[in-house]
Amino acid sequence: GQKKGVNKMTTYANKTYVAFDADNDIHYYRLMQAWKKNDNTSFNFYDAHDLNDLMSWSSEETIKDKLAERLRNTKVFVLLVGENTKNLYKFVRWEIEQAIKRDIPIIVVNLNGKRSKDSNSCPAIVADELAVHVSFNQKIIEYAINNWAQSDKIYREDGKTGAYYYKDSVYH
């Protein structure tokens, strides 16, 4: 007999999920969207946030359901880390937890320009997780989006964890 069940894992995860402090750091996210729209750049990401609008009056549960749906199609999780990110528990911490639970490759982007883990601003929940830490810069974020998922897979298979960063030569 034929199997009627559909394997949900067959949907190719191709989106980049960007989590950030919406109150303080949205302009960085808008800048990433502008890079994406610029014709002179190859910077591109399939944006999980823009798939469907979340109304500001939605309940926390509804919002988390929608975010979980988006995370199911996520290839890489980008966390923009600003001054207050580590203090955000309601959504950002939950989003990070989901990415960790789902083994989604994580790119931590330091808005202060630091090219490696910033112990002062990195949320504790992701500090020792397998992730690459980069500065907020179009080319290095693009490089990480295009390359980290493969590295993450290899490191994960070897049982590695912790913060990774790119050598200065990769930035040049």
Side-chain angles (χ1 to χ4, degrees):
Q2 280 190 316
K3 287 184 183 168
K4 286 198 171 141
V6 176
N7 181 356
K8 287 198 164 118
M9 294 306 286
T10 54
T11 9
Y12 178 65
N14 65 347
K15 303 235 179 327
T16 298
Y17 189 104
V18 184
F20 56 93
D21 173 356
D23 293 330
N24 297 293
D25 301 328
I26 194 152
H27 53 284
Y28 291 99
Y29 176 67
R30 297 271 179 253
L31 186 53
M32 286 177 69
Q33 290 177 312
W35 292 340
K36 183 180 164 182
K37 285 188 182 103
N38 181 341
D39 292 337
N40 305 325
T41 180
S42 59
F43 183 89
N44 196 13
F45 61 99
Y46 292 96
D47 188 348
H49 274 279
D50 285 348
L51 296 182
N52 42 29
D53 289 321
L54 287 180
M55 300 306 168
S56 53
W57 60 83
S58 296
S59 71
E60 181 176 343
E61 187 184 352
T62 301
I63 292 170
K64 285 181 176 175
D65 284 348
K66 286 284 185 204
L67 295 176
E69 191 182 301
R70 293 169 192 183
L71 282 159
R72 279 193 280 281
N73 294 313
T74 294
K75 178 184 176 189
V76 66
F77 181 90
V78 174
L79 175 65
L80 302 183
V81 176
E83 284 179 40
N84 302 302
T85 311
K86 67 181 177 196
N87 304 320
L88 301 177
Y89 291 92
K90 191 172 181 181
F91 294 114
V92 174
R93 183 187 169 93
W94 181 86
E95 289 169 306
I96 298 166
E97 282 170 353
Q98 295 302 308
I100 292 167
K101 256 188 229 165
R102 297 163 191 264
D103 290 338
I104 298 170
I106 298 172
I107 301 168
V108 177
V109 179
N110 295 308
L111 299 179
N112 64 9
K114 190 163 180 171
R115 292 179 172 185
S116 58
K117 182 170 94 176
D118 185 337
S119 302
N120 295 324
S121 59
C122 185
I125 187 173
V126 76
D128 299 320
E129 291 293 330
L130 180 59
V132 66
H133 296 249
V134 301
S135 63
F136 184 79
N137 166 295
Q138 180 179 343
K139 293 287 181 215
I140 199 67
I141 294 171
E142 181 176 21
Y143 181 86
I145 286 172
N146 293 334
N147 295 284
W148 179 245
Q150 189 55 42
S151 302
D152 176 275
K153 187 175 191 275
I154 294 163
Y155 293 146
R156 214 172 272 282
E157 285 167 3
D158 290 344
K160 295 190 169 125
T161 59
Y164 283 76
Y165 61 93
Y166 295 119
K167 293 181 180 128
D168 286 346
S169 58
V170 177
Y171 281 80
H172 297 300

